[in-house]
Amino acid sequence: MILTADYHTHTPYSHGKDTVLDNARAAKKIGLKEIGITDHGLNHFLFGLKRKNLPHLRKEIDEAKKLTGLNVLLGVESNLISIEGATDLKENDFEHFDLYLCGIHEVLKYNSFSDMYNIMLKNYMAYKFGKKPSQKIIDNTTRAYINAIKNNPIDILTHVNYKCYCNLEDVAKCCADFGTYIEINTKKRHISAEELNLMASTGVRFVIDSDAHSADRVGDIKIAEEVLKEASVPLEQIDNIDGRLPDFRFKEYKIRHI
């Protein structure tokens, strides 16, 4: 299994250590064809990408493309901010981006206190205290994910089930229906082999991403190799390995609507 592209990396524009060019050079060194620069979403209080910095980031993206010859994508790891599926990437922001990731995070502006309480706080408390999540927590998180997938042209859901709990089969089925990928994140082990098998049974497609916060982790697939060795997921269901590149829905959406 050889990684073709890494679509989840961070830079100092949010919570990363190294520059766009550093990440791109690291990707080039290990033979990747594409890399996504996907800093944290705009509603993140501590590490969010700032709209005023988008022109500077685009300039660095274009320079990295020129210097490395790689396809460097300007993306964002947006935040899910409501049970109804809103994210902090608005339609008038779409023109700036090439890649649309989405995940659940803490310390950010939600649409309402109720959304914050049900999406983040209740999940985080269950995670923090090692409690089995209630069915209501699972149902709310599942609803939020499914609404987000249906209502937004999201390319990749990031680290599903990390500090949040959902019905993985239902979320994966929705991703399969709408063409959103599920990430196998290699920064933290967020799913078991059994959970991966369950999602794979829906026909959903996967990508492997490093979630690198420093250039030395770009392209790291160790955790993915470990979980896939325990699971029975066909490698043909992973679309950024062995020379393959994914077909992303955000690109198609922009062609049709922008």
Side-chain angles (χ1 to χ4, degrees):
M1 182 173 70
I2 300 173
L3 196 69
T4 309
D6 189 347
Y7 293 110
H8 187 175
T9 74
H10 295 272
T11 75
Y13 282 95
S14 66
H15 194 210
K17 175 183 176 183
D18 296 309
T19 66
V20 171
L21 183 57
D22 290 333
N23 285 5
R25 282 175 169 160
K28 178 76 170 182
K29 186 175 180 179
I30 60 174
L32 300 188
K33 295 180 180 179
E34 291 187 334
I35 184 172
I37 305 298
T38 51
D39 284 300
H40 287 290
L42 300 153
N43 278 28
H44 201 296
F45 288 131
L46 299 179
F47 308 122
L49 177 63
K50 303 293 189 292
R51 284 181 176 84
K52 67 180 181 180
N53 290 332
L54 283 170
H56 305 287
L57 179 53
R58 174 56 72 183
K59 184 177 180 181
E60 289 191 35
I61 295 280
D62 292 342
E63 181 182 7
K65 284 183 183 180
K66 182 178 179 181
L67 292 174
T68 64
L70 283 183
N71 189 24
V72 184
L73 302 173
L74 198 170
V76 63
E77 187 185 11
S78 67
N79 300 292
L80 207 170
I81 60 172
S82 84
I83 292 290
E84 298 309 313
T87 82
D88 58 355
L89 187 65
K90 308 306 179 187
E91 188 139 4
N92 57 7
D93 295 317
F94 284 5
E95 63 180 309
H96 300 291
F97 294 96
D98 310 312
L99 186 62
Y100 190 168
L101 280 57
C102 183
I104 291 177
H105 300 88
E106 304 110 44
V107 199
L108 55 94
K109 181 181 179 182
Y110 284 84
N111 271 11
S112 69
F113 177 81
S114 176
D115 290 317
M116 183 273 290
Y117 180 72
N118 286 297
I119 296 174
M120 187 278 288
L121 189 59
K122 293 183 79 172
N123 272 296
Y124 183 76
M125 294 301 284
Y127 165 81
K128 185 71 173 177
F129 294 104
K131 294 182 178 180
K132 182 179 179 179
S134 69
Q135 191 59 48
K136 187 172 182 180
I137 290 174
I138 293 170
D139 290 345
N140 280 335
T141 310
T142 302
R143 179 182 164 198
Y145 271 132
I146 287 175
N147 285 335
I149 296 159
K150 288 181 176 179
N151 296 333
N152 303 279
I154 296 168
D155 291 320
I156 302 169
L157 285 189
T158 62
H159 45 71
V160 177
N161 235 34
Y162 179 68
K163 297 185 183 180
C164 59
Y165 305 94
C166 65
N167 183 313
L168 289 170
E169 186 174 16
D170 287 351
V171 171
K173 178 64 166 60
C174 187
C175 284
D177 289 344
F178 284 84
T180 292
Y181 287 85
I182 287 181
E183 174 186 82
I184 303 173
N185 184 294
T186 68
K187 184 173 184 282
K188 47 248 182 181
R189 184 156 180 168
H190 60 111
I191 44 175
S192 68
E194 293 75 18
E195 290 169 335
L196 192 61
N197 287 340
L198 178 64
M199 291 191 291
S201 70
T202 69
V204 72
R205 311 296 296 182
F206 298 97
V207 292
I208 297 171
D209 286 330
S210 68
D211 193 359
H213 284 59
S214 59
D216 61 356
R217 280 209 63 256
V218 170
D220 180 354
I221 62 171
K222 182 178 179 182
I223 288 177
E225 289 175 326
E226 290 171 356
V227 70
L228 286 165
K229 189 177 293 185
E230 300 168 14
S232 56
V233 178
L235 294 185
E236 291 76 17
Q237 213 163 328
I238 304 170
D239 281 355
N240 65 330
I241 61 171
D242 300 336
R244 296 190 296 276
L245 294 173
D247 291 320
F248 285 133
R249 63 185 290 207
F250 184 55
K251 180 180 178 180
E252 291 301 315
Y253 180 91
K254 289 182 65 176
I255 290 171
R256 292 179 183 178
H257 298 283
I258 297 179

